[in-house]
Amino acid sequence: MDLDLSLDGGALTASLVDIASVSGDEGALAAAIEEALRGLSHLSVHTDGNAVVARTSLGRSERVVLAGHIDTVPVADNLPSHVDGGRLYGCGATDMKSGLAVQLRLAARAVEPCRDVTYVFYDCEEIQAERNGLLRLSRHHPEWLAADFAVLMEPTDGVVEGGCQGTLRADVRVPGERAHSARSWMGRNAIHASARVLEVLNSYLTRQPEVDGLVYREGLNAVNIAGGVAANVIPDSCVITVNYRFAPDRTVGEAAKHVRGIFAGWDVEVTDAAGGARPGLDRAPAAAFLAAVGGTPRAKLGWTDVARFAALGIPAVNYGPGIPEIAHTQGEYVELAQIPECEARMLAWLAS
Amino acid sequence: MDLDLSLDGGALTASLVDIASVSGDEGALAAAIEEALRGLSHLSVHTDGNAVVARTSLGRSERVVLAGHIDTVPVADNLPSHVDGGRLYGCGATDMKSGLAVQLRLAARAVEPCRDVTYVFYDCEEIQAERNGLLRLSRHHPEWLAADFAVLMEPTDGVVEGGCQGTLRADVRVPGERAHSARSWMGRNAIHASARVLEVLNSYLTRQPEVDGLVYREGLNAVNIAGGVAANVIPDSCVITVNYRFAPDRTVGEAAKHVRGIFAGWDVEVTDAAGGARPGLDRAPAAAFLAAVGGTPRAKLGWTDVARFAALGIPAVNYGPGIPEIAHTQGEYVELAQIPECEARMLAWLAS
């Protein structure tokens, strides 16, 4: 399971895809990455569980992090990888082993970068947040992550995606009163009364605020509804679970207050929330990165681990090969041409 | 576990309550009833599983059935029975062991009734329809059930309740299109779109038709709603299960057509249906019964096994001690005074 970092980015991506690394089972890939990095004398290498961190120590005035998760969603009969029509297919091809290939190629090639670089490879991103390897690293070894700027190499189709939106889930509970369904007028039907909650959602006007020069687009949606006691009973409860995706100009607290205000007539319980991250593209390290890689940046609408860097006080952007929309699909692939292009742009940045 | 049919109706009810007979576990009570009836020489006794049927054979011009189920819903820490303030408490006190006590007392006392009588005691009424003992009897021994009129001794608070309403369940399916909830505008939210189904239910005007002189009251209600794929996905399906309780002037086919018409814009699947029964109070046997027991009859709104008699061509009514509204509750009870009153009225009818 040796990784040959002299292979071109596409071939290296294929090698990475062919070492299966479903969340929680990343040992083989972590070992291969560690071994490949230990062969590079300009890097010091550290590990924590299935996370691997490699750092240059050139005494540069600026340090940047290039980070990527090494796990994938479950294999769906899409291994080993194969190439067809300029595309590499296979589990993790887009999310995000092509990004890892760029990280590894840069680690091998950027021997004397103008910025000190910390390469972070971490586990368990695709599953519940408390197992996230980047979260664990930030608790066990925050000093390993210290930096002025971070690039999370998630698939962005080769365009810089700044910051990320926050996400909040809440249960909106509609009460009722039970009765036998043959005498429905003796009760109050909680499912029928839920129409008003759905009307609130249907008439909700979403914000599209501009934050640090990028336009975000919010959303407030029901992602679950559940009501019913028995087939012959007027139900006394119906719960609508809503998901609020909010722009990074709002904190979690502000988002929660907003949702409670929207559903002021009902019992609202916030069950889950994670703050977003401002893009920070107006700050020096991000601006330099953007100038080097080019293109028109856009807002990241989904939540990503850039929010963890933001929480550590490190501005971060998303940038990498691969198409976000096909992540987690059986047929995911990466356009092979995107990989060396991304690598070349980042290499130019590290040299500038 | 002997049953003493010379006990008064309240004491006999207590004996019946104290022989637990949860659906599927009626063996002990069925055996006790069979033994008690076999001691009555004017009756011929038959059994089928946990059902017991006893018949007079006096060659009368008319035969009537008195029927009751011997099972109860699960015991809820409400055994043994106890008496408090003129009420007998305990599992099945109202539904329907007080009715069984009246049946058994009549079987013992009405030695030479003016109508031939068939006493039917059957199992598994409180659970899924295919296990219903009356249904089984109607298949194995339809001749045992042959009669001109039937009285189902379910709790009716001592008032004749004529016929019963039908019941139909249908799943109304609202489609959508999946998308990541951070890009909700790329999908169509099936839960949001369900608002229109709930509005149809909220604006539905129920019928209150008069059938054979009794006024029924229909109802169309959601009894379940389920939608949602994952916490970060715009759902592509939401299913609302509706329950239509329809008056006995409509057949199952007419009820299904009505529901499909109401929800014409959606995919509607009828999952379950049972026809009602007309009260038939204008027909001779029912009119004679009504004249004998007195009171103002009312429509039965819930579905009961009178519909099975209707399907066999036998007009039937519900009449018995006990309060239908407290059936299946932990605190169910029967007013002791109702039991001998009901027995006396029915004895007068059988003697007239």
Side-chain angles (χ1 to χ4, degrees):
Chain A
M1 305 255 233
D2 282 358
L3 292 175
D4 180 354
L5 304 190
S6 69
L7 289 176
D8 68 61
L12 181 57
T13 300
S15 302
L16 292 165
V17 169
D18 291 339
I19 304 175
S21 58
V22 176
S23 307
D25 203 15
E26 303 96 333
L29 183 56
I33 290 171
E34 180 189 355
E35 191 188 325
L37 293 172
R38 288 209 189 273
L40 302 170
S41 59
H42 62 288
L43 298 175
S44 60
V45 179
H46 311 271
T47 63
D48 179 285
N50 284 333
V52 183
V53 176
R55 298 159 55 94
T56 63
S57 298
L58 298 164
R60 305 298 192 218
S61 63
E62 192 179 288
R63 175 175 288 279
V64 296
V65 162
L66 304 190
H69 64 84
I70 66 172
D71 61 321
T72 68
V73 294
V75 178
D77 199 24
N78 52 0
L79 284 187
S81 62
H82 71 278
V83 174
D84 188 15
R87 294 171 173 177
L88 175 75
Y89 289 83
C91 184
T94 203
D95 187 11
M96 57 170 280
K97 291 191 171 177
S98 48
L100 297 181
V102 173
Q103 283 182 255
L104 287 166
R105 290 268 302 164
L106 291 172
R109 295 180 69 191
V111 177
E112 290 206 339
C114 297
R115 299 165 167 84
D116 268 314
V117 186
T118 305
Y119 301 93
V120 177
F121 302 85
Y122 63 99
D123 52 306
C124 291
E125 191 268 352
E126 298 289 8
I127 52 177
Q128 61 270 37
E130 67 265 29
R131 291 183 62 187
N132 183 292
L134 190 61
L135 175 64
R136 190 182 69 245
L137 280 174
S138 74
R139 288 171 176 166
H140 290 183
H141 307 285
E143 71 284 6
W144 294 357
L145 300 178
D148 302 292
F149 179 58
V151 179
L152 192 65
M153 300 207 59
E154 290 271 7
T156 65
D157 217 5
V159 174
V160 174
E161 292 191 334
C164 75
Q165 293 201 124
T167 177
L168 177 146
R169 284 186 196 84
D171 286 346
V172 181
R173 202 169 295 273
V174 179
E177 199 176 327
R178 287 192 197 189
H180 194 287
S181 65
R183 297 178 204 88
S184 51
W185 52 91
M186 296 181 74
R188 275 186 306 126
N189 193 316
I191 296 175
H192 293 200
S194 298
R196 281 179 50 223
V197 171
L198 301 185
E199 283 156 18
V200 167
L201 288 165
N202 279 324
S203 62
Y204 181 77
L205 296 174
T206 55
R207 293 198 314 146
Q208 298 197 33
E210 188 178 312
V211 184
D212 297 351
L214 297 185
V215 176
Y216 289 83
R217 185 166 175 179
E218 298 195 334
L220 179 64
N221 269 272
V223 290
N224 201 76
I225 188 166
V229 174
N232 61 351
V233 176
I234 300 303
D236 58 354
S237 173
C238 186
V239 178
I240 299 100
T241 304
V242 298
N243 182 204
Y244 178 37
R245 298 286 179 153
F246 55 98
D249 61 339
R250 277 194 170 156
T251 65
V252 165
E254 288 164 346
K257 188 176 170 191
H258 176 69
V259 170
R260 290 186 197 286
I262 294 290
F263 300 107
W266 294 279
D267 174 43
V268 174
E269 182 189 1
V270 174
T271 57
D272 180 36
R278 296 180 74 100
L281 294 184
D282 50 350
R283 294 165 71 172
F289 176 75
L290 193 57
V293 302
T296 303
R298 61 186 182 197
K300 185 70 171 180
L301 302 179
W303 192 92
T304 74
D305 270 327
V306 301
R308 291 192 205 282
F309 287 109
L312 293 168
I314 305 169
V317 298
N318 308 273
Y319 178 69
I323 305 166
E325 286 76 10
I326 60 170
H328 303 191
T329 65
Q330 186 183 28
E332 72 170 302
Y333 63 84
V334 61
E335 297 281 358
L336 284 168
Q338 273 193 345
I339 303 171
E341 185 182 317
C342 178
E343 178 187 330
R345 289 173 188 271
M346 293 194 71
L347 196 61
W349 167 55
L350 292 178
S352 65
Chain B
M1 304 254 235
D2 282 357
L3 292 174
D4 181 353
L5 304 190
S6 71
L7 290 175
D8 70 59
L12 181 56
T13 300
S15 302
L16 292 165
V17 169
D18 290 341
I19 304 175
S21 58
V22 176
S23 307
D25 203 14
E26 304 96 334
L29 182 56
I33 289 171
E34 180 188 355
E35 191 188 324
L37 293 171
R38 288 209 188 273
L40 303 170
S41 58
H42 62 289
L43 297 176
S44 60
V45 178
H46 311 272
T47 62
D48 178 287
N50 284 332
V52 184
V53 176
R55 297 158 55 93
T56 63
S57 297
L58 298 165
R60 305 298 192 215
S61 62
E62 193 178 288
R63 175 175 290 279
V64 297
V65 162
L66 305 189
H69 64 84
I70 67 172
D71 61 320
T72 67
V73 294
V75 178
D77 199 23
N78 51 0
L79 284 185
S81 62
H82 71 277
V83 174
D84 188 15
R87 296 171 171 176
L88 175 74
Y89 290 83
C91 184
T94 202
D95 186 12
M96 55 166 285
K97 291 189 171 177
S98 48
L100 296 180
V102 173
Q103 283 182 254
L104 287 166
R105 290 268 302 165
L106 291 172
R109 295 181 68 192
V111 178
E112 290 206 342
C114 297
R115 299 165 167 84
D116 268 312
V117 186
T118 305
Y119 300 94
V120 178
F121 302 85
Y122 63 99
D123 53 306
C124 291
E125 191 267 354
E126 298 288 9
I127 51 175
Q128 61 270 39
E130 67 265 29
R131 291 183 61 186
N132 184 291
L134 190 61
L135 175 64
R136 190 181 68 244
L137 280 174
S138 73
R139 288 172 176 166
H140 289 183
H141 307 285
E143 72 283 6
W144 293 357
L145 300 178
D148 302 293
F149 180 60
V151 180
L152 192 67
M153 301 207 59
E154 290 271 5
T156 65
D157 217 4
V159 174
V160 174
E161 292 191 334
C164 75
Q165 294 201 122
T167 177
L168 177 144
R169 283 184 196 87
D171 286 346
V172 181
R173 202 168 294 274
V174 180
E177 199 175 328
R178 289 191 195 189
H180 194 288
S181 66
R183 296 177 205 90
S184 52
W185 51 92
M186 296 181 73
R188 274 186 307 126
N189 194 316
I191 296 174
H192 294 200
S194 297
R196 281 179 49 222
V197 171
L198 301 185
E199 282 156 18
V200 167
L201 288 165
N202 279 324
S203 62
Y204 180 77
L205 296 173
T206 55
R207 294 197 314 145
Q208 297 197 34
E210 188 176 312
V211 184
D212 298 349
L214 297 184
V215 176
Y216 290 83
R217 184 167 176 180
E218 298 195 336
L220 178 65
N221 269 271
V223 290
N224 201 76
I225 188 167
V229 174
N232 61 352
V233 175
I234 300 304
D236 58 354
S237 173
C238 184
V239 177
I240 299 100
T241 303
V242 299
N243 183 204
Y244 178 37
R245 298 287 179 151
F246 55 98
D249 62 340
R250 277 194 171 156
T251 64
V252 165
E254 289 165 345
K257 188 177 169 189
H258 177 69
V259 170
R260 290 185 197 285
I262 294 291
F263 299 107
W266 295 278
D267 175 44
V268 175
E269 183 189 0
V270 174
T271 56
D272 181 35
R278 297 180 72 100
L281 295 184
D282 50 350
R283 294 165 71 173
F289 176 76
L290 193 57
V293 303
T296 303
R298 62 186 180 197
K300 185 69 170 181
L301 302 180
W303 192 92
T304 74
D305 272 327
V306 299
R308 290 192 206 283
F309 287 109
L312 293 168
I314 305 169
V317 299
N318 308 274
Y319 177 69
I323 304 166
E325 286 76 12
I326 61 170
H328 303 191
T329 66
Q330 186 182 30
E332 72 171 301
Y333 63 86
V334 61
E335 297 280 358
L336 284 168
Q338 273 193 345
I339 303 171
E341 186 181 319
C342 178
E343 177 188 331
R345 289 174 188 272
M346 292 194 71
L347 195 61
W349 168 56
L350 292 178
S352 67

